[in-house]
Amino acid sequence: MLKNRHILYLLIPIPFLLALCLLAGSSGFGMPDLDTPTGRALLDLRLCRLVTGFVVGAALSCSGCALQAVLRNALAEPYVLGVSSGGSLGAALVIATGLSAITPLALPAGAFAAAAVTLLLVCLLANRTSGYSPNTLILTGVVAGSMLSSLLMLLLSFAKSRTIHSITWWLLGNLQATSWSLILGIAVLVALALGVLCYEARALNALLLGHDAAHNLGVRTRFAMPIILTAATLAASAAVAASGIIGFVGLIVPHALRRLTGANHRTLLPCAALFGGTFLVLCDTLARTLAAPHEIPVGVITSLSGGPFFLYLLTRKGRLPLA
């Protein structure tokens, strides 16, 4: 009962925080003049950015929750299976080849496709080796991510200075979506992935005890594992396609919420979507306003704010809870 009360107290201010973030911008605080085309365009840009931040934050947080349970690793996060490296290489190729100048959808499409292919290869290799063993998945993901990062560095070494700047800015994280159609497409993918994860909440709870224990509890791990991994990485891939690389959100939000909600994924996953989305929107607001009119990459803000908080969680009781 106490945990439910804490959750309720934290849910109440979320709409007000989002409203304040909508009013804040590099040009000042307040509602733009809706009687002018400039004011309406400014409000549309702010709303577009807020929705993008909320969707991306929700995707990263829920993906982190699922991967930490499946891999039984407190340091698991949405990019642990090489998704970030694959998405980065795909986006860099689109920028370097000039496809991003033809259509704004080329960049997210390239990032998503490369991230999805990376997931497929990692899962196939891990399944062939040891049947989705957590250690094998992590090691395969790390090796794949390292190889793809090397290819990205190779690409950067041959790129022109303007191309290098564009790729670097994308890698730092950016929530300025190009269109509402892109946001809608990303939101549909994220909603689909989160729906699958919520449906598999019972399997996630059982997997916290280990694969053998989950199998004894009636979970068909050979089917549940690839479904959960695909859904979690689909959410992370969609987030990468929309915003670039934004770290720490999928790592610290699940751990912080476990101290409030417990490890039951029926409660943890919806809360992670709400709090993860709100956290990233707040970080993006700080990124736009702290050094206005200059904009700080949102990935820098999440790392600077999430790092100390994660260390606090780690040292408070000496360990990070998963169950």
Side-chain angles (χ1 to χ4, degrees):
M1 182 65 71
L2 184 60
K3 287 184 176 180
N4 292 336
R5 190 181 304 167
H6 284 166
I7 296 171
L8 180 61
Y9 289 156
L10 289 173
L11 286 176
I12 292 174
I14 285 180
F16 300 99
L17 290 174
L18 295 177
L20 290 175
C21 292
L22 183 62
L23 296 176
S26 58
S27 59
F29 183 84
M31 180 65 71
D33 186 3
L34 299 181
D35 293 331
T36 63
T38 303
R40 291 192 294 270
L42 180 60
L43 180 62
D44 184 70
L45 286 174
R46 289 185 183 179
L47 185 60
C48 180
R49 189 155 184 161
L50 185 145
V51 173
T52 304
F54 192 89
V55 170
V56 170
L60 294 176
S61 299
C62 291
S63 179
C65 283
L67 291 174
Q68 286 162 17
V70 169
L71 302 177
R72 300 188 68 204
N73 189 315
L75 295 178
E77 47 93 28
Y79 305 136
V80 72
L81 299 182
V83 175
S84 61
S85 299
S88 300
L89 181 60
L93 287 172
V94 170
I95 295 173
T97 55
L99 293 176
S100 57
I102 299 176
T103 170
L105 296 178
L107 182 58
F112 181 81
V117 170
T118 301
L119 165 68
L120 178 62
L121 292 176
V122 168
C123 288
L124 287 176
L125 289 172
N127 182 42
R128 185 174 181 179
T129 303
S130 59
Y132 299 113
S133 166
N135 289 336
T136 304
L137 277 167
I138 292 174
L139 288 174
T140 307
V142 169
V143 172
S146 178
M147 294 175 62
L148 292 170
S149 295
S150 298
L151 290 176
L152 176 61
M153 294 302 104
L154 179 64
L155 177 63
L156 288 173
S157 67
F158 287 102
K160 298 179 180 179
S161 57
R162 184 174 181 180
T163 303
I164 294 174
H165 180 270
S166 300
I167 295 173
T168 303
W169 181 253
W170 187 88
L171 292 175
L172 291 174
N174 179 23
L175 291 176
Q176 187 58 63
T178 54
S179 67
W180 280 105
S181 59
L182 172 61
I183 299 175
L184 179 61
I186 296 297
V188 169
L189 291 175
V190 171
L192 177 63
L194 299 192
V196 172
L197 292 179
C198 289
Y199 180 78
E200 295 289 345
R202 177 180 173 274
L204 287 168
N205 291 338
L207 285 167
L208 286 172
L209 304 175
H211 288 202
D212 293 337
H215 181 74
N216 292 334
L217 290 172
V219 176
R220 303 175 68 184
T221 54
R222 293 284 295 183
F223 294 96
M225 283 284 291
I227 290 174
I228 294 172
L229 287 172
T230 301
T233 313
L234 174 64
S237 302
V240 169
S243 63
I245 309 302
I246 298 177
F248 270 99
V249 178
L251 185 63
I252 65 169
V253 172
H255 285 302
L257 286 175
R258 282 190 186 94
R259 297 189 180 275
L260 296 172
T261 69
N264 187 348
H265 287 82
R266 288 187 176 90
T267 304
L268 182 60
L269 285 170
C271 288
L274 289 172
F275 288 104
T278 304
F279 172 72
L280 188 55
V281 170
L282 289 172
C283 289
D284 184 57
T285 302
L286 291 175
R288 289 184 288 116
T289 57
L290 282 180
H294 181 74
E295 181 178 327
I296 303 172
V298 67
V300 175
I301 300 296
T302 58
S303 297
L304 290 177
S305 60
F309 183 65
F310 183 77
L311 292 176
Y312 165 75
L313 290 177
L314 182 63
T315 57
R316 188 169 175 227
K317 289 187 177 180
R319 66 184 184 90
L320 293 171
L322 278 180

